């Protein structure tokens, strides 16, 4: 039983990804206007009719739109979000009717959601200045064996990693992780100091180097060959380049899993959908592996606190 994962848009202008599994379509964030989502769906051969539910990471407005909430209401598509997200969204003009329609579903810290038969989503709280913000591990089961047939780890916005996130993302097939900025470019940018300080803080966004360290830590805890794909999310338009992010991601994996395909998501168009299916070594996704030397890094941002102890 195959599935597919597609980043429809990623960046400060709007975020949305789609996971399709056995007739169930899960939209992760809905930060584009409805007409733009319609166009992105069409570009990857799908449509609104295949969207069954939405799960929300946090309430920054590049991850949800009032008009898109109204579109969900019109199409009777439920959203799963934290109760504090809904408290914030009460100011939106479309929210009262959305909630009255019974479409506002809730999730909680570390409580798995059974979204559909064989599809489980685990919310993991992360450090970001839209409290609360969540990453998700999504597991697909095919009934052949008790372990997941495939798994996706999705963390679009976070200021720093954590042992909980590493544990949750160990052994995923697709690691979708923020690679927001190059620190040297961020510090040299004309942005106001308060914004630079915010981005570089533990409540801001991951630099390429921080994301590479987190990538290497997750891969090092995973079985041989996992992750099969690294999808780089939420690149800054002004303080990063796809080339810098891709180099950092490849260097993070060269000593651990050089066959991993590195895909850099963009703001203006969808990535090529990634097919997910049971791999022959699916049962070994969290097996111990031989430790290898960490790859050298080209950027200079300090290491994340505590990584050496994980």
């Amino acid at each position: 039983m195959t599935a597919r994962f597609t980043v429809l848009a990623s960046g400060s202008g709007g975020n949305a990804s789609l996971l399709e599994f056995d007739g169930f379509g899960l939209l992760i964030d809905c930060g584009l206007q409805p007409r733009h989502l319609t166009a992105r769906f069409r570009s990857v051969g799908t449509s609104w009719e295949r969207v069954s539910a939405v799960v929300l990471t946090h309430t920054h407005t590049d991850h949800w739109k009032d008009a898109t909430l109204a579109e969900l209401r019109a199409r009777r598509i439920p959203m799963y979000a934290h109760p504090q997200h809904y408290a914030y969204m009460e100011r939106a003009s479309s929210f009262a009717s959305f909630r009255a329609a019974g479409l506002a579903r809730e999730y909680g810290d570390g409580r798995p959601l059974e979204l559909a038969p064989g599809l489980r989503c685990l919310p993991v709280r992360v450090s970001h200045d839209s409290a609360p913000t969540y990453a998700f591990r999504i597991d697909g089961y095919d009934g052949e064996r008790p372990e997941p047939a495939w798994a996706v780890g999705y963390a679009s916005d976070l200021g720093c990693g954590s042992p909980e996130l590493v544990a949750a993302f160990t052994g995923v097939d697709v690691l979708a992780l923020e690679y927001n900025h190059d620190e040297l470019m961020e510090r040299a940018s004309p942005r106001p100091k308060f914004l630079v300080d915010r981005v570089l803080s533990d409540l801001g966004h991951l630099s390429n180097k921080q994301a590479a360290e987190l990538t290497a830590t997750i891969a090092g805890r995973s079985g041989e060959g996992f992750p099969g794909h690294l999808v780089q999310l939420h690149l800054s338009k002004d303080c990063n380049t796809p080339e810098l992010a891709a180099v950092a991601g490849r260097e993070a994996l060269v000593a651990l899993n050089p066959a991993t395909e590195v895909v850099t998501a963009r703001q203006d168009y969808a990535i090529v959908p990634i097919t997910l299916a049971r791999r022959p070594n699916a049962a070994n996704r969290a097996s111990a592996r031989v430790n290898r030397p960490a790859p050298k890094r080209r950027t200079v941002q300090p290491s994340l606190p505590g990584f050496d102890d994980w």
Side-chain angles (χ1 to χ4, degrees):
M1 187 180 295
T2 60
R4 71 174 194 167
F5 172 76
T6 310
V7 179
L8 300 169
S10 187
S12 59
N15 295 271
S17 296
L18 182 65
L19 181 65
E20 299 167 277
F21 172 67
D22 195 26
F24 188 94
L26 178 66
L27 194 60
I28 307 172
D29 286 334
C30 52
L32 297 179
Q33 298 291 344
R35 63 188 178 90
H36 295 308
L37 274 173
T38 299
R40 298 298 168 91
F41 290 150
R42 187 180 299 117
S43 74
V44 296
T46 191
S47 67
W48 278 105
E49 284 66 34
R50 297 185 186 179
V51 179
S52 308
V54 178
V55 65
L56 186 70
T57 59
H58 64 296
T59 57
H60 281 162
T61 54
D62 55 332
H63 293 263
W64 73 286
K65 293 284 189 286
D66 193 358
T68 306
L69 203 63
E71 185 77 15
L72 298 179
R73 165 69 180 84
R75 294 179 177 277
R76 305 289 302 173
I77 298 171
M79 173 186 282
Y80 292 85
H82 190 274
Q84 288 178 247
H85 295 162
Y86 290 133
Y88 176 88
M89 294 166 73
E90 285 178 354
R91 68 192 71 182
S93 61
S94 60
F95 182 71
S97 61
F98 182 81
R99 171 164 269 174
L103 298 172
R105 315 283 171 81
E106 295 183 356
Y107 65 72
D109 290 22
R111 297 207 308 262
L113 288 170
E114 297 290 340
L115 295 168
L119 188 65
R120 180 181 300 168
C121 176
L122 177 69
V124 183
R125 191 160 181 169
V126 296
S127 179
H128 187 57
D129 58 4
S130 175
T133 298
Y134 287 87
F136 302 110
R137 177 180 171 129
I138 304 171
D139 291 310
Y141 296 83
D142 58 11
E144 292 183 17
R145 296 177 61 89
E147 75 276 350
W150 51 262
V152 174
Y154 188 93
S156 63
D157 293 63
L158 63 164
C160 60
S162 70
E164 293 77 17
L165 186 65
V166 171
F169 283 7
T170 293
V172 296
D173 297 86
V174 174
L175 176 60
L177 184 65
E178 176 180 55
Y179 275 69
N180 178 255
H181 61 276
D182 173 82
E183 193 202 355
L184 294 178
M185 291 179 68
E186 184 73 38
R187 291 190 183 279
S189 75
R191 293 176 169 184
K193 183 178 185 301
F194 79 87
L195 179 56
V196 173
D197 290 345
R198 176 248 172 184
V199 169
L200 296 177
S201 76
D202 283 353
L203 295 176
H205 295 278
L206 288 188
S207 71
N208 290 339
K209 182 177 188 295
Q210 287 178 309
E213 288 184 335
L214 185 53
T215 297
T217 301
I218 292 167
R221 292 294 181 90
S222 303
E224 296 286 342
F226 293 91
H229 287 81
L230 169 65
V231 180
Q232 300 177 308
L233 302 174
H234 215 299
L235 269 70
S236 169
K237 181 176 68 173
D238 301 320
C239 298
N240 205 355
T241 69
E243 293 77 18
L244 285 172
V247 167
R250 291 190 184 100
E251 287 187 343
L253 292 161
V254 67
L256 294 160
N257 189 24
T260 299
E261 184 175 347
V262 178
V263 180
T264 306
R266 306 299 180 94
Q267 182 69 82
D268 298 328
Y269 55 88
I271 67 169
V272 175
I274 296 170
T275 299
L276 298 163
R278 176 177 287 279
R279 294 158 61 176
N281 60 342
N284 301 322
R285 62 179 64 251
S287 299
R289 61 192 296 159
V290 176
N291 289 329
R292 296 182 175 90
K296 294 180 179 179
R297 308 282 191 258
R298 294 184 182 176
T299 51
V300 297
Q301 188 155 328
S303 297
L304 295 178
F307 264 63
D308 292 340
D309 300 327
W310 292 2

